[in-house]
Amino acid sequence: DAMVIQNPRYQVTQFGKPVTLSCSQTLNHNVMYWYQQKSSQAPKLLFHYYDKDFNNEADTPDNFQSRRPNTSFCFLDIRSPGLGDAAMYLCATSVGQGDTEAFFGQGTRLTVV
Amino acid sequence: GESVGLHLPTLSVQEGDNSIINCAYSNSASDYFIWYKQESGKGPQFIIDIRSNMDKRQGQRVTVLLNKTVKHLSLQIAATQPGDSAVYFCAENRGPAASYDKVIFGPGTSLSVIP
């Protein structure tokens, strides 16, 4: 009964080659988040959608884009991955009332070669 | 800038002892706080939460304390077990509104339980 599903769990991409990570949810939550987590660090919020409204964090590089075609799916596009983009990418959802937790997927581990 | 941070990056405790993990936050407007547990290779898992109108909340073996005066919260784990070994993050949700409804993480504490 997985609620936030990320595919694939492991992704290897070439330096500079566009890559897309996928996330789906069965919770019907309004908010979907993308976080980047590097080794021994906290998850860092890249951006989030509140329904169809896209909210970018000020320090998120332009190299990172996102799409949310419907309530259930959200994608993270990395246009030109660099070695520094190797990380765990976490997708999460929340109801969107400001006083509820975020539910996380298991993450996608991205390797850039 | 605004941040949620931790006092101790690592914590080692003996099995059966109580653990206390601390967290400081700087945004006085934050009104909801969450503790997450993250095991290696997995996504963060919800442990317990607390709203800003509360000082204390208890769950099964865990207690969260919130001191709004000094912008500090803590997670207490009673009778720590080897399965509690993980990284613990405090996080805050800054309130409902399209741009504000987001969960921001502190730097984390790695808890190691000694059998």
Side-chain angles (χ1 to χ4, degrees):
Chain A
D1 57 347
M3 296 181 290
V4 182
I5 304 162
Q6 292 188 243
N7 284 306
R9 289 294 309 278
Y10 301 91
Q11 176 75 56
V12 181
T13 191
Q14 290 181 331
F15 181 93
K17 183 177 181 180
V19 65
T20 295
L21 308 183
S22 302
C23 178
S24 64
Q25 57 140 335
T26 59
L27 298 164
N28 203 35
H29 282 171
N30 291 318
V31 187
M32 294 188 77
Y33 309 82
W34 278 106
Y35 293 84
Q36 179 193 65
Q37 186 177 26
K38 296 188 176 181
S39 181
S40 300
Q41 296 184 20
K44 178 181 182 297
L45 183 64
L46 295 173
F47 25 61
H48 73 288
Y49 277 93
Y50 191 109
D51 195 11
K52 296 180 181 179
D53 293 334
F54 178 71
N55 297 277
N56 197 31
E57 292 300 297
D59 56 354
T60 297
D62 291 341
N63 196 29
F64 293 89
Q65 304 287 320
S66 186
R67 296 170 284 133
R68 190 180 185 186
N70 53 53
T71 300
S72 300
F73 288 87
C74 196
F75 301 97
L76 170 62
D77 300 309
I78 307 177
R79 295 193 296 188
S80 182
L83 298 179
D85 296 328
M88 174 76 87
Y89 289 89
L90 295 162
C91 174
T93 73
S94 70
V95 173
Q97 296 174 347
D99 60 354
T100 55
E101 78 224 57
F103 293 82
F104 283 82
Q106 293 290 57
T108 294
R109 171 75 64 186
L110 179 69
T111 300
V112 182
V113 297
Chain B
E2 297 174 344
S3 66
V4 177
L6 294 175
H7 294 302
L8 298 173
T10 60
L11 178 65
S12 295
V13 298
Q14 203 73 38
E15 181 179 358
D17 287 351
N18 296 335
S19 302
I20 300 176
I21 301 172
N22 295 302
C23 178
Y25 64 95
S26 59
N27 187 352
S28 58
S30 295
D31 53 11
Y32 177 66
F33 303 90
I34 314 148
W35 281 100
Y36 285 96
K37 173 185 180 183
Q38 188 176 27
E39 296 174 285
S40 181
K42 297 184 178 180
Q45 180 183 10
F46 172 87
I47 301 172
I48 192 168
D49 58 1
I50 189 166
R51 288 170 173 74
S52 59
N53 61 352
M54 304 170 69
D55 297 322
K56 179 180 180 179
R57 188 156 192 235
Q58 288 184 295
Q60 186 176 13
R61 283 202 305 118
V62 294
T63 300
V64 56
L65 299 177
L66 176 62
N67 185 330
K68 295 179 286 294
T69 302
V70 296
K71 292 185 236 175
H72 180 271
L73 73 161
S74 65
L75 176 70
Q76 300 177 3
I77 305 173
T80 312
Q81 302 170 358
D84 295 328
S85 294
V87 179
Y88 290 81
F89 294 100
C90 67
E92 57 177 334
N93 192 325
R94 297 180 179 176
S99 60
Y100 299 144
D101 195 334
K102 54 186 181 182
V103 177
I104 303 297
F105 281 77
T109 292
S110 177
L111 176 64
S112 178
V113 181
I114 305 165

